[in-house]
C-alpha cells in the first residue's frame, strides 16, 4: 500500500484484503532495498513471571529514517505512474463499498 493513496505508510498487505482488478500500471524499477526482510516484525521479548505484573514502560516504536526515505523514494516512482493512467488516481482515492446484491467476485474492474 502506498501512503499517497491508501493513507498508510509503505507496508505489506495480505491478499485476503485486496480486490484484484484488470488495471495495469507500468512501474519503473523499484529500489533494491524493498525486500521481504523490510516488512518483518521484530520479535517481542518474552517476559518471565515477575515481569508479567510490572507496568509496561516501553516506548512506542519509532519509524526509522531509512523507512521514511524509502517511502519518499517509492512515492516518487509510483505517483507519476498512477497519474499516467486515466482516472486511476480518483479511483484509488475513492472509498470502496458494496450494496445489497453486489458481489465483488462477479464484478469487472
Amino acid at each position: 500500500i502506498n501512503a499517497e493513496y491508501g493513507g498508510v505508510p509503505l507496508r505489506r498487505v495480505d491478499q485476503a484484503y485486496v480486490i484484484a482488478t484488470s488495471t495495469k500500471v507500468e512501474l519503473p524499477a523499484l529500489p533494491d532495498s524493498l525486500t521481504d526482510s523490510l516488512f518483518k516484525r521484530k520479535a517481542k521479548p518474552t517476559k518471565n513471571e515477575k515481569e508479567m505484573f510490572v507496568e509496561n514502560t516501553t516506548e512506542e516504536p519509532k519509524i526509522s529514517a531509512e523507512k521514511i526515505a524509502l517511502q519518499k523514494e517509492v512515492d516518487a516512482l509510483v505517483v507519476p505512474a498512477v497519474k499516467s493512467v486515466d482516472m486511476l488516481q480518483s479511483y484509488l482515492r475513492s472509498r470502496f463499498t458494496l450494496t445489497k446484491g453486489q458481489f465483488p467476485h462477479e464484478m469487472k474492474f
Side-chain angles (χ1 to χ4, degrees), residues 10-28:
L10 188 65
R11 64 174 61 190
R12 181 173 296 268
V13 176
D14 192 312
Q15 290 180 351
Y17 300 105
V18 177
I19 295 179
T21 67
S22 60
T23 304
K24 304 242 187 256
V25 177
E26 293 295 325
L27 292 175

Side-chain angles (χ1 to χ4, degrees), residues 42 58-64:
K42 294 180 182 174
T58 60
E59 295 180 17
E60 292 184 20
K62 303 277 186 204
I63 299 173
S64 68

Side-chain angles (χ1 to χ4, degrees), residues 41-94:
R41 292 182 181 178
K42 294 180 182 174
K44 292 183 180 179
T46 57
K47 295 181 180 181
N48 62 24
E49 193 172 318
K50 292 179 182 177
E51 293 174 341
M52 289 172 84
F53 300 104
V54 178
E55 284 190 36
N56 188 5
T57 58
T58 60
E59 295 180 17
E60 292 184 20
K62 303 277 186 204
I63 299 173
S64 68
E66 175 190 341
K67 284 189 178 182
I68 292 172
L70 182 62
Q71 175 74 55
K72 289 180 181 180
E73 187 177 351
V74 170
D75 284 347
L77 296 172
V78 171
V79 171
V82 169
K83 287 182 179 179
S84 68
V85 177
D86 189 35
M87 298 200 51
L88 183 59
Q89 189 173 9
S90 60
Y91 171 75
L92 290 174
R93 287 192 172 151
S94 65

